[in-house]
């Protein structure tokens, strides 16, 4: 699929994840604009919890799922909490049952590369032809390409570009 693919049955786009601009506030802005336009958005927004750990906020139900765990001083392992991420993925699968117009996910990372995390959510959304917008970690780009068969669009981390892609996936003319 090209940079602006037209295959309406397979609308998936990746935003390359970088430090600047931060993708989380950008996705929050995109969600707010689309909701104001009446778009039913499902998925998650990533945030830092009050304890400094990572959490994802459910865009459908508003619940917050902690996705990092305290490993103790001196630990160098991954702080991602697989149970928290699995609970969030279950909530996302349930949200897909409500028939959203669009699915937005904060990351395609190590868990998804390993077949966990939001991977099944992305697959189900594609099966049901719900457009998917997801930020992809740089070290996971190769796995993302393999997962999507190279058919996903790549978008610049730019508000207008993201809104244009989302609206096109929803069949909205601007």
């Amino acid at each position: 699929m090209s940079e602006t693919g037209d295959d309406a049955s397979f609308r998936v786009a990746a935003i390359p994840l970088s430090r600047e601009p931060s993708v989380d506030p950008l996705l929050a802005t995109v969600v707010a604009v689309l909701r104001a336009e009446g778009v039913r958005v499902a998925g998650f927004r990533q945030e830092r919890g009050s304890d400094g750990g990572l959490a994802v906020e459910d865009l459908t139900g508003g619940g917050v799922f902690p996705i990092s765990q305290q490993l103790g001083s001196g630990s160098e392992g991954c702080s991602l909490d697989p149970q928290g991420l699995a609970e969030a993925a279950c909530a996302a699968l349930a949200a897909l049952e409500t028939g959203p117009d669009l699915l937005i996910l904060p990351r395609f990372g190590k868990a998804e590369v390993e077949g966990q995390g939001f991977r099944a959510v992305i697959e189900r959304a594609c099966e049901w032809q719900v457009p998917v917008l997801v930020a992809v970690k740089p070290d996971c780009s190769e796995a993302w390409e393999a997962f999507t068969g190279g058919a996903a669009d790549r978008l610049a981390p730019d508000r207008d570009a993201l809104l244009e892609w989302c609206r096109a996936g929803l069949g909205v003319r601007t």
Side-chain angles (χ1 to χ4, degrees):
M1 188 177 288
S2 69
E3 289 283 317
T4 56
D6 294 325
D7 184 356
S9 67
F10 189 80
R11 297 288 306 176
V12 178
I15 309 162
L17 195 59
S18 64
R19 291 211 184 278
E20 294 299 326
S22 176
V23 74
D24 299 314
L26 178 61
L27 288 175
T29 299
V30 168
V31 168
V33 168
L34 292 172
R35 281 190 167 158
E37 295 173 1
V39 176
R40 294 170 297 149
V41 181
F44 286 91
R45 178 178 79 79
Q46 187 166 295
E47 59 186 29
R48 284 255 173 229
S50 58
D51 64 353
L54 290 177
V56 289
E57 179 188 358
D58 184 350
L59 297 173
T60 304
V64 176
F65 297 82
I67 59 166
S68 62
Q69 56 189 333
Q70 300 297 327
L71 297 178
S73 62
S75 295
E76 294 182 19
C78 179
S79 65
L80 183 67
D81 178 7
Q83 181 176 342
L85 190 56
E87 289 171 1
C90 286
L93 286 169
L96 283 174
E97 296 282 338
T98 69
D101 299 317
L102 176 70
L103 177 70
I104 294 182
L105 297 171
R107 304 288 185 276
F108 181 92
K110 182 180 178 191
E112 289 75 20
V113 169
E114 295 173 349
Q116 305 299 315
F118 292 120
R119 189 175 181 120
V121 178
I122 297 167
E123 291 169 343
R124 177 73 49 86
C126 289
E127 287 172 16
W128 292 354
Q129 298 183 4
V130 175
V132 179
L133 179 62
V134 61
V136 176
K137 295 180 109 179
D139 59 337
C140 299
S141 293
E142 213 172 288
W144 171 257
E145 290 297 316
F147 173 60
T148 63
D153 296 325
R154 286 185 58 86
L155 303 174
D158 171 79
R159 175 189 176 274
D160 293 336
L162 299 181
L163 287 169
E164 180 181 332
W165 183 89
C166 291
R167 290 174 180 140
L170 300 168
V172 175
R173 300 269 185 238
T174 56

